[in-house]
Amino acid sequence: LATIQGELERVVSEIEGAPVAVAGSGRTDAGVHAAEQVAAFTFANPIPRENLRRALNRLLPRDIRVLRCDEVEEQFHPRFDAIAKSYEYTLYRWEICPPMRRLYVYHYPYPLDEEAMAEAAVLFEGEHDFSAFAASDEKDELGGSKVRTVHFSRLARDGAVLVYRVRGSGFLKHMVRMLVGTLLEVGKRNLGPEDIRARLAPGYPGKAGPSVPPGGLCLMGVEYEREMLK
Amino acid sequence: LATIQGELERVVSEIEGAPVAVAGSGRTDAGVHAAEQVAAFTFANPIPRENLRRALNRLLPRDIRVLRCDEVEEQFHPRFDAIAKSYEYTLYRWEICPPMRRLYVYHYPYPLDEEAMAEAAVLFEGEHDFSAFAASDEKDELGGSKVRTVHFSRLARDGAVLVYRVRGSGFLKHMVRMLVGTLLEVGKRNLGPEDIRARLAPGYPGKAGPSVPPGGLCLMGVEYEREMLK
């Protein structure tokens, strides 16, 4: 199976004429989309960055596009230097899901208490132990802590779609999909606000709720300190 | 290769419990999309039409959706009774084509005289012999005539896209893609308005211009006399 990282390494190495390793801001699960992902590599080729962008886009398959190339500090790492990430998860609510959108939404036309979901979504904001919202095989690289800060966590209806937008200091494996799965349980009135609070308390046993399919998830952006850019 | 007609026949036959033939309003080339296509079949099953729609959508692959089911006069034929069809062809003009749109647009980021194209597009309106805008293997079923009436033929820029919208009494094989290919020649200043007029004159020898790829084309709707619907 082709991966974005693999394809980038192939074309960057082709331009460099030697193997080049490419580091990303994080791996997304198969089926998850990215409107803006960040990758970095070390490169001897003196090609101007505008020309590099054009060359990369000429060599890459059309489902991967390079929007911008920038020079960064040599020690920059797109994953470990990220200070925030944003995701969107899109539920398609009307009965008939347009074929052209089917890969980018989760079609959920069944009844939901959307107001209760929107109220519950806000409860994720703040610094919490998100252990209950991590895949069981999550390997934590930050000293084992599963405490993360969620800066923004809101749900809004826009025509046919119900969009969950979340921005935080970092996300555990499957975390966004488990947050949305838990909100769906709230929408089905299987869980209430007190259940959400319990799942955010340290030491909650087990998992918060089911996950949702990857297609509705999109990485919207990764943020860094300005000083990392040259 | 799966076709829309084939998939529809498979699921309609499954519901009926016997082979059912499905007739469409016309075949589109591989890679062409349809926002609204019309198909008809004769069916003994007394299932209410709302339930039929739901059953069809449950059985069909997710890239084919049935928007509506209606009862029609028995002699109705979606192709021969069509009085007008509308198409859109979308050119993506900015340098980087968003991956999620790549299957639905023709990425053409090169310079074009869009004003000249828009002026030329209007010249297609009216009743003309479109022989120069038909695939060479076009088999004409209307007594050999390649005269068609184009009611609307306009080009408009909308942000990143240049959209050609055309509505007419009927279209020859590859006609819309050849109209757009000819407009591209106008945009590249290889053809002028007088060349368009010559290609619309009866007896024009040869073909008007190159075609464009199928992905940018979408059938937007098919119109019938109201009396055909019960």
Side-chain angles (χ1 to χ4, degrees), chain A residues 9-27:
Chain A
E9 289 186 334
R10 180 179 62 76
V11 302
V12 170
S13 301
E14 189 176 328
I15 296 171
E16 178 76 339
V20 177
V22 172
S25 81
R27 297 176 70 96

Side-chain angles (χ1 to χ4, degrees), chain A residues 53 62 66 95-96 102, chain B residues 53 62 66 95-96 102:
Chain A
R53 177 171 60 78
R62 292 215 300 150
V66 174
E95 192 201 333
I96 298 173
R102 74 188 189 284
Chain B
R53 177 170 61 78
R62 291 215 301 150
V66 174
E95 192 200 331
I96 298 173
R102 74 189 189 284

Side-chain angles (χ1 to χ4, degrees), chain B residues 77-100:
Chain B
H77 191 289
R79 178 166 187 188
F80 303 118
D81 290 327
I83 55 171
K85 282 188 179 180
S86 302
Y87 286 93
E88 275 188 17
Y89 194 93
T90 305
L91 295 154
Y92 193 89
R93 300 287 293 133
W94 292 352
E95 192 200 331
I96 298 173
C97 183
M100 294 182 191

Side-chain angles (χ1 to χ4, degrees), chain B residues 1-220:
Chain B
L1 193 75
T3 64
I4 311 239
Q5 184 179 26
E7 290 297 301
L8 268 177
E9 289 187 333
R10 180 178 64 74
V11 302
V12 170
S13 301
E14 188 175 328
I15 296 171
E16 178 77 338
V20 178
V22 172
S25 81
R27 296 175 71 96
T28 51
D29 300 315
V32 173
H33 309 282
E36 203 186 296
Q37 170 66 286
V38 177
F41 51 87
T42 304
F43 203 60
N45 195 316
I47 182 173
R49 56 203 183 88
E50 272 299 285
N51 299 10
L52 176 60
R53 177 170 61 78
R54 272 193 286 271
L56 290 170
N57 284 330
R58 203 161 45 234
L59 295 168
L60 283 166
R62 291 215 301 150
D63 56 353
I64 308 174
R65 294 289 89 180
V66 174
L67 304 179
R68 215 173 76 198
C69 290
D70 283 313
E71 227 180 311
V72 290
E73 294 293 337
E74 202 170 339
Q75 75 276 22
F76 174 79
H77 191 289
R79 178 166 187 188
F80 303 118
D81 290 327
I83 55 171
K85 282 188 179 180
S86 302
Y87 286 93
E88 275 188 17
Y89 194 93
T90 305
L91 295 154
Y92 193 89
R93 300 287 293 133
W94 292 352
E95 192 200 331
I96 298 173
C97 183
M100 294 182 191
R101 300 186 69 174
R102 74 189 189 284
L103 301 176
Y104 309 109
V105 299
Y106 174 32
H107 187 209
Y108 196 91
Y110 315 107
L112 284 175
D113 184 341
E114 295 184 8
E115 207 176 312
M117 292 171 74
E119 283 169 22
V122 183
L123 301 176
F124 295 134
E125 293 184 357
E127 187 181 87
H128 304 287
D129 181 342
F130 284 98
S131 299
F133 297 89
S136 44
D137 63 339
E138 161 77 21
K139 287 202 188 57
D140 207 299
E141 297 172 30
L142 301 170
S145 165
K146 289 176 180 167
V147 172
R148 297 289 183 278
T149 300
V150 168
H151 307 298
F152 183 94
S153 168
R154 301 289 165 105
L155 192 80
R157 180 71 178 251
D158 182 10
V161 292
L162 187 62
V163 184
Y164 175 63
R165 294 184 178 87
V166 64
R167 177 173 168 268
S169 61
F171 293 89
L172 304 165
K173 189 175 174 185
H174 291 182
M175 179 168 148
V176 181
R177 287 162 61 190
M178 291 178 79
L179 293 176
V180 175
T182 302
L183 291 178
L184 270 184
E185 290 304 305
V186 173
K188 292 189 258 181
R189 301 204 174 116
N190 294 333
L191 296 177
E194 65 290 350
D195 301 304
I196 302 293
R197 288 193 193 93
R199 281 156 180 76
L200 291 170
Y204 179 82
K207 291 299 157 198
S211 187
V212 281
L217 185 60
C218 188
L219 172 63
M220 300 304 288

